[in-house]
Amino acid sequence: MDARQHDPFKTAFESLDEFADLISQVFMCPITIEDANHRLLAYSTHDERTDPARISTIIGRRVPEKVINQLWKEGTIPALLKTRDPIRVKKMNDIGLKSRVAISIWKQDEVLGFIWAIEIDKRLTDEDFDLLKKAADAVKNKLLQLQTRKNKKEEHSQEFFWKLLTGHLKGEKEIYENFHSLQITPASSFALVVFQFQQNITSKEEQSISYLLKTSQILKIMLYTIDCNQLILLVSPTNIDEPFQQLDHFTRTFVQNLGDRYGVKDISPVYSSIYKDYQKLGKAYNETLTVLSIKEKFPFETKDIFNYQKLGIYQLFELILEKRRNDDYENDSLKRLHEYDNKHNSNLVETLEVFLNQDNNINDAAKELNVHANTLNYRLKRITEIGNVNFKDPNQKMILYLDLKLEKYQGI
């Protein structure tokens, strides 16, 4: 009697590795079992006939990011997130993938993981596909137990992260004890990354975020949490020579993947300076909030600025404002130009700001203002006369530029 006439997976098994071996024996092909974030949970024993993608997955304990990205592009993963039926995956030599069959492991409406079967000596039949669905059903409770333990660990991790962000853990010893109790190895240096969404992050978006974070291999992600419309990450660049370039690459890739894969758009990413002392994590957090605040008030000027280091003079606004208030200072040239604009319904102040933004370039400024260069020259002449402005004096231009930005910062 053919063993496949009944359900061979209705049996007790102590470990996922044991179950992976059972599936392998039934189908006579190598098997891997992954969680929903493509981390390796178990794999069957195999001979030398396998493929580079499987070997890399076993060595790294997770599917390589280049393989995940290609499976998204080819439509395999989007399909696995929609269907409970097995899917045949074609050979992709460029990422070391032989032909295989994959099936999602479902618990109600949630995908808990995946089973992958490499077709080496045989091509799986429709009857095999039916059996593979039975295997996925048999293993779901085991994966659910693992997920419950993982969720509890993540709750403790987020609580610890908020204590770090709000300065409730002052001593270095206490901080490192918390890291170790969560089985997280603290990196020698770190940065804080914040992604600000347009609306509060939904539970569905949270699942997509978790997936992207746990499949990303660009840098080390130690902790993360969500606060209303902000995703906050504690990360460590692995590129010691060019850490900011790596942070920039990570943030751009993350935003692009959220848009391309899940349709989540208009996300503003920022990141802090790089620190070595975890007691300064609160300072790093304040840096990111400062960058977000500046970007909100100066979207045009800061559209290409994502980190505190590149804020330039914007870092100093609060200090300068405090001095301005103490000195009861007012820029006389700007005062005159504002009075003239209010009286004659003109826009000399706006013209001055655009001209200074464009580093005194007549053509670029005229283009942005949508006026002829001759019109701009006339306005600049009026600015010189009314505001007593000398455009050949770099010191005056610098203070005018600064005071214009401070007015916008204060919402004047």
Side-chain angles (χ1 to χ4, degrees):
M1 180 179 177
D2 188 348
R4 299 190 188 181
Q5 297 292 323
H6 72 289
D7 184 352
F9 305 115
K10 280 190 175 179
T11 180
F13 54 93
E14 293 185 4
S15 69
L16 283 175
D17 282 317
E18 181 184 332
F19 190 68
D21 278 332
L22 174 60
I23 303 173
S24 179
Q25 290 165 16
V26 171
F27 296 114
M28 293 181 290
C29 63
I31 297 291
T32 55
I33 302 175
E34 304 164 6
D35 69 10
N37 299 310
H38 307 294
R39 293 184 182 271
L40 183 66
L41 298 176
Y43 61 95
S44 64
T45 54
H46 63 267
D47 56 27
E48 68 278 359
R49 294 174 302 167
T50 185
D51 61 22
R54 176 179 163 89
I55 293 171
S56 297
T57 298
I58 292 171
I59 292 173
R61 304 299 299 175
R62 60 181 177 178
V63 180
E65 191 170 6
K66 67 176 183 179
V67 175
I68 296 172
N69 291 339
Q70 191 63 30
L71 291 172
W72 270 96
K73 291 176 186 176
E74 294 288 337
T76 300
I77 294 176
L80 285 169
L81 297 176
K82 293 177 181 177
T83 181
R84 297 168 190 263
D85 294 322
I87 290 175
R88 179 162 271 113
V89 184
K90 68 179 182 180
K91 184 194 307 184
M92 302 179 206
N93 290 328
D94 53 334
I95 56 171
L97 205 76
K98 289 184 178 178
S99 61
R100 66 228 299 123
V101 171
I103 188 170
S104 303
I105 303 164
W106 291 80
K107 179 68 174 180
Q108 295 179 342
D109 294 327
E110 182 182 2
V111 174
L112 301 177
F114 310 94
I115 299 174
W116 298 79
I118 304 178
E119 297 177 311
I120 293 180
D121 290 328
K122 55 171 285 189
R123 182 179 172 87
L124 298 189
T125 64
D126 289 343
E127 186 181 358
D128 292 326
F129 275 29
D130 289 336
L131 274 177
L132 198 55
K133 290 169 75 171
K134 289 182 168 63
D137 188 60
V139 78
K140 67 182 179 185
N141 287 333
K142 203 75 169 177
L143 265 63
L144 198 61
Q145 292 171 12
L146 291 173
Q147 187 189 62
T148 302
R149 290 200 292 270
K150 181 186 70 176
N151 289 342
K152 286 181 179 178
K153 181 183 176 183
E154 286 186 356
E155 285 178 14
H156 292 309
S157 297
Q158 292 191 10
E159 182 182 352
F160 167 50
F161 194 15
W162 275 114
K163 286 181 179 179
L164 280 173
L165 289 170
T166 54
H168 281 80
L169 298 174
K170 297 292 185 182
E172 187 177 288
K173 182 181 178 183
E174 186 180 8
I175 291 172
Y176 277 84
E177 283 175 351
N178 275 270
F179 269 120
H180 294 142
S181 69
L182 292 167
Q183 297 178 319
I184 299 172
T185 303
S188 57
S189 62
F190 69 87
L192 205 68
V193 180
V194 176
F195 295 93
Q196 182 155 292
F197 292 63
Q198 291 296 308
Q199 307 290 335
N200 285 355
I201 297 169
T202 65
S203 57
K204 186 177 179 182
E205 288 170 344
E206 192 171 341
Q207 289 179 352
S208 304
I209 287 166
S210 176
Y211 175 87
L212 288 178
L213 293 178
K214 289 171 183 175
T215 55
S216 175
Q217 297 166 30
I218 296 174
L219 41 63
K220 180 179 180 181
I221 300 171
M222 291 178 280
L223 294 166
Y224 79 93
T225 190
I226 289 172
D227 182 27
C228 296
N229 68 330
Q230 290 184 350
L231 167 65
I232 308 166
L233 312 178
L234 177 63
V235 305
S236 175
T238 54
N239 189 331
I240 300 172
D241 296 326
E242 296 181 336
F244 289 112
Q245 286 86 336
Q246 190 177 33
L247 284 165
D248 191 65
H249 174 54
F250 166 74
T251 54
R252 289 178 187 274
T253 301
F254 185 83
V255 169
Q256 182 178 345
N257 284 339
L258 267 177
D260 292 347
R261 297 180 185 179
Y262 306 107
V264 183
K265 306 284 187 180
D266 300 321
I267 302 165
S268 183
V270 298
Y271 49 92
S272 71
S273 306
I274 294 173
Y275 291 92
K276 295 181 181 295
D277 183 358
Y278 284 92
Q279 295 175 89
K280 294 183 178 179
L281 208 148
K283 182 181 178 184
Y285 185 37
N286 287 331
E287 283 185 4
T288 61
L289 296 181
T290 299
V291 180
L292 285 170
S293 175
I294 293 293
K295 285 179 72 68
E296 188 176 343
K297 291 174 179 173
F298 302 95
F300 174 77
E301 296 92 333
T302 63
K303 65 180 184 298
D304 295 320
I305 296 177
F306 302 104
N307 76 305
Y308 189 78
Q309 292 287 326
K310 290 190 176 180
L311 274 182
I313 63 167
Y314 296 105
Q315 292 181 16
L316 308 174
F317 274 10
E318 286 299 329
L319 290 172
I320 298 170
L321 276 176
E322 185 178 355
K323 179 169 174 55
R324 288 283 193 266
R325 295 184 189 110
N326 291 337
D327 295 346
D328 196 24
Y329 166 87
E330 187 174 15
N331 190 307
D332 185 65
S333 293
L334 284 184
K335 180 183 177 182
R336 294 184 183 196
L337 292 172
H338 276 301
E339 288 173 349
Y340 184 87
D341 278 348
N342 291 333
K343 185 176 180 180
H344 297 89
N345 196 28
S346 56
N347 57 353
L348 295 184
V349 173
E350 179 194 4
T351 299
L352 173 62
E353 183 178 10
V354 170
F355 183 63
L356 294 177
N357 280 343
Q358 296 295 344
D359 198 21
N360 293 22
N361 188 301
I362 293 285
N363 292 328
D364 290 347
K367 184 178 180 181
E368 185 178 334
L369 289 164
N370 197 27
V371 298
H372 193 276
N374 290 340
T375 304
L376 176 57
N377 276 317
Y378 171 75
R379 289 186 189 176
L380 293 175
K381 183 179 178 182
R382 296 295 292 148
I383 289 170
T384 299
E385 294 168 350
I386 297 165
N388 193 24
V389 175
N390 180 5
F391 285 111
K392 293 183 180 180
D393 182 353
N395 185 53
Q396 189 186 23
K397 285 192 297 183
M398 191 179 302
I399 205 68
L400 278 169
Y401 179 81
L402 182 61
D403 284 334
L404 280 165
K405 300 306 176 188
L406 286 173
E407 283 186 355
K408 189 178 288 187
Y409 183 68
Q410 296 176 92
I412 296 176

